Amino acid sequence: MLYPIIALLVGFIILVWSADRFVIGAASTAKNFGMSPMLIGLTVVSFGTSAPEILVAIMASTAGAGSLAVGNALGSNIANIGLVLGITALVAPLPVRSKVLKQEIPLLLAITLLAGGVLYDLYLGRIDSIILILSLIACLFLFTRFQRNASDEDIADEEEELPELPTSWAFFWLITGLLLLAGSSRLLVWGATEIATTLGVSELIIGLTIVAIGTSLPELAASVASALKGHTDIALGNIVGSNIFNIAAVMAVPGLLMPIELESIVLLRDYGMTLGLTLLLALLALFQKPPNISRMEGGILLAVYAGYLALLYNMSV
């Protein structure tokens, strides 16, 4: 078990370092090309940090384990809100701008509800996957519209948060950080999975916990690094965008490659928790004036996630 332990440690170290480089590159690229931090978080950062989930989905589907891919997509969304957002809010409370409440979070709720409709018959086929992909295209179109309609005040506030970096170096760190994030997260997941298998942990627990948490580590590293640097738009936008990508892109993979039938527990427990946490995120953002995710609310999200892990453990023994 020595090599998996080494992979776990090395993967974590590279992950943290590359997340810092990636955030700097993403923020600088946003400024140099006239894009807002929120748009970068919702598109480039979100797609990049969702790459591990997409890779896991492809590998699982081609190996005939499409249910693991669906579980990983839902489990990653649960981890993103409960674990990633919870920890990020504990590090630095996240103010929620009105446009996030009116645009991005409702869009995430709509995509999550669409996923419920797709999974309701406990079958994920090619038509279902095409519907999810079309919803992703629609989201990208709306993100562009949101950016064009942003006020001058919003744009000015966001530009003040951005670091100065030449375009060539900004793009270099954006791409390098992206590649290292994806590679290190895969290394970390492999090490964690090997350790769990050696210790006799069930595949269900591995898929919904270690794999989901492992593939969410880029979101955690990027979001915490963004929050520490004061780029709160990137931190929150990264989580919202990643969850949209997980549902619309990652979950579509098994249906495209190998349509599958799902167990009812996937809809009742895992999708139910995904929808519940998404609704909780919206409510917590509205709870305080001005809207924000406070440290206390971050603790609530972590507590809910811990309860979900306890439920998984109790149902697996």
Side-chain angles (χ1 to χ4, degrees):
M1 200 164 62
L2 177 61
Y3 291 124
I5 292 177
I6 293 175
L8 192 71
L9 295 175
V10 172
F12 180 75
I13 292 172
I14 297 176
L15 189 80
V16 173
W17 181 82
S18 60
D20 180 71
R21 298 291 93 192
F22 186 44
V23 169
I24 291 176
S28 299
T29 301
K31 183 175 183 178
N32 295 342
F33 285 91
M35 298 172 63
S36 71
M38 176 59 72
L39 185 60
I40 287 290
L42 284 166
T43 55
V44 179
V45 178
S46 301
F47 181 79
T49 53
S50 292
E53 284 93 337
I54 294 175
L55 181 58
V56 168
I58 293 174
M59 293 173 60
S61 299
T62 53
S67 59
L68 174 61
V70 175
N72 181 39
L74 294 176
S76 293
N77 275 24
I78 294 170
N80 281 348
I81 297 178
L83 180 66
V84 177
L85 185 57
I87 291 178
T88 304
L90 288 176
V91 172
L94 304 174
V96 183
R97 297 191 177 188
S98 60
K99 66 176 182 178
V100 179
L101 286 175
K102 296 176 181 178
Q103 298 172 352
E104 280 80 17
I105 290 181
L107 192 57
L108 174 59
L109 278 171
I111 291 293
T112 304
L113 290 172
L114 176 63
V118 166
L119 298 176
Y120 184 75
D121 60 356
L122 302 179
Y123 178 78
L124 185 61
R126 290 187 173 87
I127 294 179
D128 299 320
S129 296
I130 291 173
I131 292 173
L132 291 174
I133 292 174
L134 289 176
S135 72
L136 176 61
I137 295 174
C139 286
L140 294 176
F141 172 76
L142 288 175
F143 291 159
T144 304
R145 290 287 298 273
F146 294 159
Q147 169 66 8
R148 284 206 300 262
N149 295 331
S151 66
D152 293 337
E153 181 180 354
D154 286 337
I155 294 174
D157 289 341
E158 291 165 354
E159 285 182 348
E160 290 178 358
E161 300 177 346
L162 299 174
E164 294 286 347
L165 204 64
T167 300
S168 58
W169 278 107
F171 192 70
F172 170 79
W173 286 121
L174 178 65
I175 299 301
T176 301
L178 178 64
L179 294 175
L180 289 175
L181 272 172
S184 59
S185 65
R186 289 297 303 136
L187 182 65
L188 192 148
V189 168
W190 175 82
T193 303
E194 288 295 312
I195 293 172
T197 302
T198 302
L199 296 178
V201 180
S202 70
E203 291 184 0
L204 174 64
I205 296 299
I206 292 175
L208 290 172
T209 56
I210 293 179
V211 175
I213 293 173
T215 54
S216 292
L217 283 175
E219 284 91 342
L220 176 59
S223 296
V224 171
S226 297
L228 288 174
K229 292 177 181 297
H231 303 153
T232 53
D233 272 349
I234 288 183
L236 185 57
N238 175 34
I239 294 170
V240 173
S242 291
N243 280 17
I244 291 175
F245 270 90
N246 284 342
I247 292 177
V250 178
M251 192 181 294
V253 171
L256 286 175
L257 297 180
M258 189 175 296
I260 57 170
E261 294 184 0
L262 302 170
E263 297 180 6
S264 59
I265 195 65
V266 174
L267 180 66
L268 297 176
R269 181 192 62 199
D270 305 318
Y271 171 76
M273 180 59 69
T274 301
L275 178 60
L277 275 174
T278 303
L279 289 171
L280 180 59
L281 170 60
L283 291 175
L284 291 180
L286 288 168
F287 184 72
Q288 299 188 68
K289 301 296 182 183
N292 71 92
I293 306 297
S294 66
R295 286 189 170 90
M296 183 183 71
E297 292 169 340
I300 292 174
L301 292 173
L302 277 174
V304 172
Y305 185 69
Y308 173 70
L309 294 182
L311 177 64
L312 285 179
Y313 175 78
N314 290 331
M315 294 184 69
S316 65
V317 296

